[in-house]
Amino acid sequence: MTTRSKPDVPRFYLTTAIDYANGDPHLGHALEKIGADVIARYRRQCGDDVHLLIGMDEHGQKVQQTAAKEGVAPQAFTDNIALRFQAMWARLGISYDQFIRTTEPHHKTGVQALIRRIAERNPDDFYERSYTGMYCVGCEAFKQDADIVDGKCVLHTTRTLEEVEERNWFFRLSKYQGFLQNLLATNPSFIEPESRRNEILGLLAQGLDDISASRARLDWAVPFPLVLSNGETQGTYVWFDALPNYLTATGFPDAGYEQRWPADVHIIGKDITRFHVVIWPAMLEAAGLPLPKQVWAHGFVQLGGERFSKSAGVKLDLGEAIDRFGADAFRYVLLREVPFDSDGNFSWERFEERYTSDLANAFGNLASRAMAMVEKYCEGVVPAAPRPDAELDDDADVEAYHGGLSGTRGWLLHEGLAAVARMTARANEYVAATTPWAVAKDPGRVAELHQILASLIRRIAKQTVMLAPFMPHKVEAVWAQLGAPATASAWHLMELASLNPTGWRVQKGEGVFPRPVAPTLPSPTAASSAPPTS
RNA sequence: GGUCCGGUAGCUUAGUCGGUUAAAGCGCUCGACUCAUAAUCGAAGGAUCGUGGGUUCAAGUCCCACCCGGACCA
């Protein structure tokens, strides 16, 4: 629909996992979306034509059952969930370009087109097979004996297992084992980080089983386009419905989808690596379609050291987290604390510590003190002055920043933030080393003073631009106070070296990152620090 | 049950092909400074590197077993 043609601009199509429409967005969802958004904003700020896809997985028995329990039609149910997710992404400042829902008519026809295309090109790839087993509705899967205790699935002890015999369409996944092994051998960066690749290599070495592609009794689903020999039409099984969203979002099978497909990177959680690195490439190969260039599996967030789970256990209210210091600060702390290539931890205590030390004390205060001195000693106008050699020390960190965000060595967003933090610390050290307030007392050292202050403002401006993908709103407040032209996010990230603050009229206003006020933690810290009673 | 990943100072982590006193940030303690958001700068303290064996002149770094956490598969 919006097939913008910018032939000379690199396109960058990144996707996130579609979220299952069975509950509200939580911390785990947020980490992935925020990370993907940072990458998208970074690429835009590097001049790319970015397309960020986010969406919902809305089919399946669980959705149908939950909707029934609440007495609403499944579509109405998922409509509501989708709105709640979209509202949350808006609050978090997720700059998605497209929001796909698997219940959209175009997605459904796209899935069917893909399946037909596979069947046409490789008639042997879909075949009928009957199967008998214990079916767990919670898992939406047949369970083996080892997972059954007292006749119930160990993961869903409140649900009753159903003995089911059914005839399904199967996909000949086993046929693609060699293809996939070759893919990972010749293109190791197809799945990163490396630990996840090793996992898949081990899995491939064990051999692949064919997988079910359709299911009986699956009413809330895309109708599987092939009819069984007994005349039955079944519902498309979850992964054959969900995975193609990345493709149908580009318009497939309609003309023009090739302008966006293949995706540059699928951002997913480590739990669904297998589906994206085994099943999805096999499906695409079977259909004779190009594969995505990369799959990136991020880790999980633990909450206060405990496992975070949507279905059982620990929860953190996203709205509360956002309200604490604002969406931007939450984005910053989350990505600074949680390595984007492995698991990380999050707690209210760390949140506050990180916010205070990095944003309020280091960066916020740096901006504050620098602007105060420009106002005090230079009537608020940044003086012209040559760049001191000391600033060259930042170059290595700028490089490290790009290394973390460009994807060339993986998507190490936390390393990008660490690099900026080092630059901030270096600027504060520079202030201490040059003591501009002392220099200002000596009329003979005006040139020196000007150089120090201009250098400080330039460093802050540089850091502000670099932080723009992470904190898109806060950063503009700083930018405005600096008196810099246009917006921070408009500044090309490859042209940081050309930042020249000469003549900017700074206006130190309210601190953009105020220190937290006294009784801070929403969790009962007071209670836990009190002496134990009884 | 199987495969894989992780277990390093109070907290979060870095430690390349095994090799001099195991590194950093935060927190804590002390000192300095006053431009600044009771911020900043400097210094000090703090780790028998999950446990137990083994290989080696030498192991956080390799091998085996076990314990704990996690993901996936059965």
Side-chain angles (χ1 to χ4, degrees):
Chain A
M1 321 170 20
T2 52
T3 318
R4 292 164 297 172
S5 265
K6 296 189 203 164
D8 47 341
V9 175
R11 289 167 187 280
F12 192 79
Y13 175 34
L14 77 160
T15 71
T16 57
I18 49 175
D19 300 310
Y20 198 56
N22 197 35
D24 279 322
H26 55 67
L27 188 60
H29 295 120
L31 173 71
E32 176 171 300
K33 270 55 185 178
I34 291 170
D37 183 61
V38 167
I39 294 169
R41 288 178 185 270
Y42 172 84
R43 290 311 266 235
R44 288 193 199 103
Q45 222 173 317
C46 288
D48 288 5
D49 179 13
V50 172
H51 192 83
L52 170 60
L53 177 71
I54 285 181
M56 307 294 305
D57 177 14
E58 305 188 337
H59 286 127
Q61 217 159 30
K62 233 186 302 182
V63 162
Q64 191 176 13
Q65 288 177 340
T66 311
K69 205 182 299 173
E70 296 188 8
V72 293
Q75 187 67 64
F77 177 76
T78 60
D79 284 351
N80 181 271
I81 299 256
L83 282 176
R84 298 225 288 270
F85 270 79
Q86 285 174 311
M88 181 55 75
W89 302 151
R91 273 183 86 182
L92 281 171
I94 309 300
S95 61
Y96 57 86
D97 298 279
Q98 185 180 0
F99 192 90
I100 190 170
R101 300 177 54 193
T102 56
T103 54
E104 284 170 25
H106 179 83
H107 172 74
K108 297 194 227 176
T109 55
V111 165
Q112 293 175 325
L114 179 67
I115 290 168
R116 283 205 196 89
R117 181 166 164 146
I118 293 172
E120 281 160 20
R121 293 182 169 240
N122 291 283
D124 199 31
D125 276 9
F126 286 116
Y127 64 95
E128 294 184 38
R129 189 160 110 190
S130 63
Y131 183 89
T132 308
M134 301 303 289
Y135 188 82
C136 172
V137 170
C139 299
E140 289 190 36
F142 286 99
K143 308 306 290 185
Q144 306 299 315
D145 292 345
D147 272 334
I148 301 173
V149 173
D150 297 334
K152 294 183 175 182
C153 165
V154 293
L155 299 176
H156 298 90
T157 51
T158 57
R159 299 174 192 263
T160 311
L161 283 171
E162 301 164 21
E163 181 170 354
V164 172
E165 175 183 9
E166 62 178 60
R167 191 170 188 77
N168 305 126
W169 284 106
F170 268 69
F171 175 64
R172 208 174 295 279
L173 184 63
S174 55
K175 173 181 159 187
Y176 293 93
Q177 180 174 341
F179 166 76
L180 292 165
Q181 284 173 319
N182 185 51
L183 169 68
L184 295 192
T186 56
N187 183 12
S189 68
F190 180 76
I191 166 64
E192 285 191 334
E194 193 180 6
S195 55
R196 300 274 91 83
R197 176 165 60 248
N198 292 337
E199 218 167 85
I200 298 296
L201 285 171
L203 203 132
L204 288 174
Q206 287 171 40
L208 296 175
D209 294 326
D210 294 344
I211 56 168
S212 166
S214 75
R215 281 292 161 85
R217 324 161 171 224
L218 194 56
D219 303 325
W220 186 239
V222 178
F224 198 78
L226 309 179
V227 181
L228 286 162
S229 54
N230 62 9
E232 187 187 347
T233 300
Q234 299 193 329
T236 303
Y237 185 51
V238 50
W239 290 105
F240 271 83
D241 177 349
L243 288 166
N245 88 86
Y246 308 124
L247 177 65
T248 63
T250 66
F252 177 89
D254 299 343
Y257 76 89
E258 308 93 332
Q259 296 195 20
R260 188 156 287 139
W261 189 258
D264 290 273
V265 58
H266 292 320
I267 306 285
I268 60 161
K270 65 178 182 180
D271 55 332
I272 51 177
T273 313
R274 182 174 143 259
F275 303 102
H276 286 76
V277 181
V278 176
I279 300 179
W280 181 224
M283 286 167 64
L284 288 166
E285 172 67 10
L289 291 167
L291 307 188
K293 291 174 192 160
Q294 187 185 63
V295 175
W296 175 264
H298 67 252
F300 289 159
V301 202
Q302 306 226 310
L303 197 56
E306 290 183 77
R307 185 183 169 214
F308 180 88
S309 162
K310 50 189 161 186
S311 50
V314 204
K315 281 195 175 158
L316 168 134
D317 186 74
L318 275 179
E320 198 181 353
I322 294 167
D323 288 342
R324 186 67 195 86
F325 301 112
D328 279 10
F330 175 63
R331 290 165 58 109
Y332 176 94
V333 173
L334 191 60
L335 291 186
R336 179 102 158 95
E337 285 294 305
V338 182
F340 208 51
D341 60 342
S342 60
D343 293 351
N345 208 345
F346 190 86
S347 68
W348 287 111
E349 288 79 6
R350 291 295 286 179
F351 188 7
E352 176 151 340
E353 278 174 17
R354 228 3 141 180
Y355 172 82
T356 305
S357 64
D358 278 22
L359 295 179
N361 292 355
F363 183 72
N365 182 55
L366 173 68
S368 182
R369 67 198 305 205
M371 288 190 281
M373 287 190 279
V374 172
E375 288 186 337
K376 203 163 180 174
Y377 306 137
C378 302
E379 271 116 34
V381 179
V382 182
R387 196 173 74 160
D389 289 343
E391 264 184 63
L392 295 174
D393 294 345
D394 280 347
D395 291 355
D397 285 320
V398 171
E399 202 175 315
Y401 169 86
H402 287 302
L405 297 203
S406 65
T408 47
R409 298 186 354 243
W411 305 95
L412 308 175
L413 309 180
H414 55 291
E415 288 191 4
L417 282 180
V420 179
R422 285 195 298 270
M423 291 169 70
T424 306
R426 189 175 298 112
N428 273 320
E429 289 162 26
Y430 177 72
V431 176
T434 56
T435 60
W437 55 89
V439 176
K441 286 177 183 154
D442 185 345
R445 299 171 72 185
V446 175
E448 189 183 341
L449 176 69
H450 285 181
Q451 184 178 46
I452 295 166
L453 297 183
S455 175
L456 277 177
I457 297 297
R458 181 168 39 241
R459 291 166 190 245
I460 294 163
K462 195 183 285 187
Q463 291 162 35
T464 303
V465 172
M466 293 167 79
L467 288 171
F470 294 90
M471 299 188 287
H473 297 104
K474 287 286 191 184
V475 128
E476 299 303 346
V478 176
W479 195 249
Q481 290 183 351
L482 291 173
T487 62
S489 63
W491 199 274
H492 200 294
L493 272 168
M494 293 301 164
E495 285 162 22
L496 292 171
S498 64
L499 272 170
N500 178 5
T502 303
W504 291 0
R505 177 167 286 282
V506 308
Q507 269 196 299
K508 180 193 167 188
E510 291 286 300
V512 176
F513 300 105
R515 282 178 58 83
V517 282
T520 44
L521 304 175
S523 39
T525 305
S528 64
S529 63
T533 44
S534 92

